[in-house]
Amino acid sequence: DSGVTQTPKHLITATGQRVTLRCSPRSGDLSVYWYQQSLDQGLQFLIQYYNGEERAKGNILERFSAQQFPDLHSELNLSSLELGDSALYFCASSPGQAGAGANVLTFGAGSRLTVL
Amino acid sequence: DAKTTQPNSMESNEEEPVHLPCNHSTISGTDYIHWYRQLPSQGPEYVIHGLTSNVNNRMASLAIAEDRKSSTLILHRATLRDAAVYYCILRPFSSWGKLQFGAGTQVVVTP
C-alpha cells in the first residue's frame, strides 16, 4: 500500500457519459498529480495541484477537469466520454513545496476506465 | 524539459546485476535525475534519484557520470520481481513537480 488511495479501481461506462475519479494523497503530501496511461500513449501528465491551487497543466482535454479540495483529496472529472478515453488513470502525491525537483512522487494503484 | 534516451529493452538472468543506461546530454546544472519503475498492472514506483554524486538505497544504485550527461541505474541482483519498465526522468530543482515519462526500458528477467 503506497498510501495514495484511488477510487474506483474499475469503471465501465458508455460514450457520452461523465465520471469522477477520486484520489486521497499520502498523509502530509500537499501536491496531487493526475496521469493518463493508454496502450498507445504511455504515461501522460494531465494536471497538478498544490494545496488547492492548480500548479501545472499538461495535455489535459477541455472535457476533463480536476480540483483539489481543502482536505487535499482530488477529483478528476471526465465528461462527454469517448472510446479513446479508455485508459488507466493514476494519481500521485508529493510534498510539493518549491524547490520540488528532489521531491519523490508516490503513485496510487490507478483507476481503470473502460468506455463502451 | 531536458530529454532522456534509454534502450527499449534489456534482458538479464536472475541473481545477476543489471545496468540500465540513460543518456541526458542536455541536462542542466539544477536537474535532478530520477528513476521510477512500473511493474505490470501497477502504478509507477520510485526507485532512486540523485543530483551529482552516486547514490545507493535498498533497491538500487545510481551512478552519475562526472559531466552528468549520462547515468546508470544498477540493480545488484535481479529477481523476477524486478521485471518492469524503468523510467529515467530529469526534474528541474525549481519544478513544481510534474514528471514527464518517456518510453522507458523494459527489463526482462529470466530464471
Side-chain angles (χ1 to χ4, degrees):
Chain A
D1 181 7
S2 68
V4 177
T5 304
Q6 289 188 247
T7 56
K9 286 188 169 46
H10 301 276
L11 191 54
I12 301 174
T13 189
T15 54
Q17 295 299 304
R18 172 190 170 93
V19 298
T20 297
L21 309 180
R22 182 188 167 103
C23 170
S24 293
R26 207 174 56 132
S27 178
D29 285 353
L30 299 179
S31 258
V32 169
Y33 311 74
W34 286 97
Y35 285 83
Q36 179 192 55
Q37 186 172 37
S38 52
L39 281 175
D40 57 349
Q41 290 286 329
L43 274 159
Q44 299 290 316
F45 169 74
L46 295 178
I47 198 164
Q48 178 204 359
Y49 284 84
Y50 172 73
N51 205 20
E53 292 189 15
E54 183 184 307
R55 283 297 180 182
K57 214 166 187 175
N59 299 322
I60 187 166
L61 299 172
E62 285 191 14
R63 301 183 286 108
F64 295 1
S65 65
Q67 60 184 122
Q68 185 180 28
F69 294 86
D71 68 352
L72 300 178
H73 91 271
S74 178
E75 293 181 357
L76 179 67
N77 300 297
L78 315 174
S79 62
S80 303
L81 284 168
E82 302 175 358
L83 296 177
D85 298 328
S86 296
L88 268 168
Y89 291 84
F90 290 106
C91 169
S93 73
S94 80
Q97 65 268 28
N103 284 176
V104 168
L105 268 63
T106 303
F107 283 79
S111 293
R112 182 175 294 279
L113 173 66
T114 302
V115 182
L116 301 176
Chain B
D1 292 342
K3 293 186 72 173
T4 63
T5 304
Q6 299 178 251
N8 290 334
S9 64
M10 292 190 72
E11 285 192 34
S12 175
N13 295 321
E14 202 175 7
E15 297 192 4
E16 289 187 357
V18 182
H19 291 242
L20 300 177
C22 180
N23 286 317
H24 28 79
S25 58
T26 60
I27 191 171
S28 77
T30 57
D31 285 347
Y32 281 82
I33 303 162
H34 285 251
W35 285 83
Y36 284 73
R37 72 179 185 181
Q38 188 174 20
L39 279 64
S41 302
Q42 295 189 26
E45 173 187 35
Y46 167 76
V47 177
I48 200 166
H49 76 286
L51 185 60
T52 56
S53 304
N54 295 344
V55 185
N56 300 296
N57 67 19
R58 64 173 180 81
M59 289 181 69
S61 295
L62 176 60
I64 301 172
E66 200 168 324
D67 64 4
R68 300 211 324 127
K69 293 186 176 182
S70 66
S71 60
T72 302
L73 179 71
I74 303 164
L75 308 178
H76 295 287
R77 289 184 67 202
T79 68
L80 295 178
R81 196 193 172 274
D82 292 321
V85 179
Y86 287 76
Y87 299 96
C88 171
I89 305 166
L90 300 183
R91 197 153 178 237
F93 173 79
S94 60
S95 163
W96 270 97
K98 64 178 180 178
L99 247 57
Q100 299 279 29
F101 287 81
T105 297
Q106 175 70 62
V107 170
V108 176
V109 180
T110 52

